[in-house]
């Protein structure tokens, strides 16, 4: 897919993806700490977020009180990303800094595409406009049972607009991620996220070492 869309893989661009409660944020931080410990220059960021404007958009997107049209949702995620890639990601990668992001374009395909049902071709076209020449060289897909992930989030008192979606919706997200991983097996590494934090981190570090260090 990357070739046909003409995207360029920046070697130091790593994303973490997964369903709610899969532990992406924790694992992204552990991976960043590991690479920093090896003397690498690392920037850790997240979507939607990473800039002042993108964080404001995140507030609108995740507000459980907002009844949002799917097209509005798609465009807001892309607006947040447009600012994020231009203000933070491109400049850092251009300076040779490793960028680790907690979610990126695969989230849009999984949530707005496979789960909400927006045409995947529309999503990919928008992505080519918003993040041209930008695709992670490595993506960790933290995979686990949907109900278990939602339970973890509820225990952590996380209740945004997406946590209120049905289990069916989140199963579509998970299946969407699997589909994306089938299409790009070299880039996307599926990690069993039901294991302990330490074991998941060990697996991720093994892959980082084999590809990077
Ligand atoms: P999280 O970063 O705390 O997981 O919250 C972000 C939420 O936004 C999460 O439910 C997934 C959702 N999301 C999308 O639906 N599309 C996107 O493109 C991105 C980046 C996130």
């Amino acid at each position: 897919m990357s070739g046909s869309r003409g995207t360029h893989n920046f070697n130091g661009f790593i994303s973490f993806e997964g369903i709610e409660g899969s532990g992406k944020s924790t694992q992204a931080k552990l991976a960043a700490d590991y690479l920093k410990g090896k003397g690498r220059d690392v920037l850790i960021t997240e979507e939607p977020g990473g800039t002042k404007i993108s964080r404001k958009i995140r507030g609108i997107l995740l507000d459980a009180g907002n009844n949002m049209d799917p097209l509005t949702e798609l465009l807001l995620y892309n607006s947040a990303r447009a600012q994020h890639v231009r203000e933070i990601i491109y400049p850092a990668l251009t300076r040779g800094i490793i960028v680790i992001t907690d979610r990126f374009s695969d989230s849009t395909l999984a949530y707005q595409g496979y789960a909400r049902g927006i045409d995947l071709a529309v999503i990919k076209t928008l992505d080519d406009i918003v993040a041209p020449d930008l695709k992670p060289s490595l993506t960790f897909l933290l995979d686990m049972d949907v109900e278990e992930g939602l339970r973890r989030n509820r225990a952590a008192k996380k209740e945004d607009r997406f946590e209120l979606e049905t289990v069916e919706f989140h199963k579509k997200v998970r299946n969407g991620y699997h589909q994306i991983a089938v299409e790009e097996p070299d880039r996307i590494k599926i990690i069993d996220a039901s294991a302990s934090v330490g074991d998941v981190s060990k697996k991720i570090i093994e892959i980082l070492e084999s590809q990077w260090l």
Side-chain angles (χ1 to χ4, degrees):
M1 188 158 66
S2 74
S4 63
R5 293 171 63 205
T7 47
H8 172 75
N9 288 356
F10 273 101
N11 199 26
F13 188 33
I14 302 170
S15 64
F16 280 75
E17 295 282 356
I19 57 159
E20 317 297 316
S22 58
K24 296 171 287 86
S25 315
T26 304
Q27 292 300 335
K29 283 192 198 86
L30 290 171
D33 288 347
Y34 174 78
L35 289 171
K36 281 179 195 165
K38 293 277 169 189
R40 302 294 184 113
D41 218 350
V42 183
L43 177 93
I44 180 158
T45 188
E46 67 170 356
E47 288 217 340
T51 75
K52 195 173 167 198
I53 289 171
S54 310
R55 275 189 292 275
K56 285 189 174 175
I57 297 172
R58 178 186 178 93
I60 299 170
L61 279 162
L62 298 190
D63 183 344
N66 286 343
N67 184 11
M68 192 176 293
D69 183 86
L71 182 61
T72 310
E73 183 180 281
L74 172 67
L75 294 173
L76 283 177
Y77 276 111
N78 276 284
S79 301
R81 184 165 304 134
Q83 188 66 30
H84 189 205
V85 297
R86 282 158 187 76
E87 193 178 321
I88 302 288
I89 299 179
Y90 278 131
L93 290 172
T94 306
R95 285 166 53 207
I97 296 169
I98 294 172
V99 176
I100 295 183
T101 183
D102 177 354
R103 297 195 182 280
F104 200 61
S105 304
D106 296 320
S107 284
T108 317
L109 273 178
Y111 282 79
Q112 282 64 54
Y114 286 97
R116 288 267 188 255
I118 297 177
D119 187 346
L120 300 181
V122 170
I123 295 179
K124 287 176 186 176
T125 301
L126 264 175
D127 193 54
D128 283 341
I129 296 166
V130 168
D133 291 337
L134 188 59
K135 194 166 189 99
S137 54
L138 184 57
T139 295
F140 293 104
L141 172 54
L142 301 195
D143 184 52
M144 66 181 295
D145 178 68
V146 164
E147 273 112 333
E148 180 55 27
L150 291 173
R151 259 196 299 279
R152 279 190 189 177
N153 264 10
R154 253 176 251 128
K157 299 261 181 293
K158 230 184 141 239
E159 270 215 349
D160 63 34
R161 205 164 54 80
F162 285 88
E163 263 103 42
L164 299 178
E165 284 288 347
T166 61
V167 170
E168 259 334 288
F169 176 88
H170 291 288
K171 284 187 174 164
K172 286 185 193 164
V173 173
R174 186 183 183 197
N175 290 339
Y177 273 130
H178 287 171
Q179 195 56 44
I180 300 166
V182 165
E183 284 169 23
E184 294 185 75
D186 290 343
R187 172 173 69 91
I188 301 179
K189 310 295 175 202
I190 301 182
I191 307 287
D192 175 8
S194 66
S196 69
V197 170
D199 284 351
V200 173
S201 175
K202 209 165 144 231
K203 181 90 206 129
I204 288 169
I205 286 168
E206 272 169 23
I207 293 172
L208 284 172
E209 277 177 339
S210 68
Q211 297 215 348
W212 279 70
L213 300 169

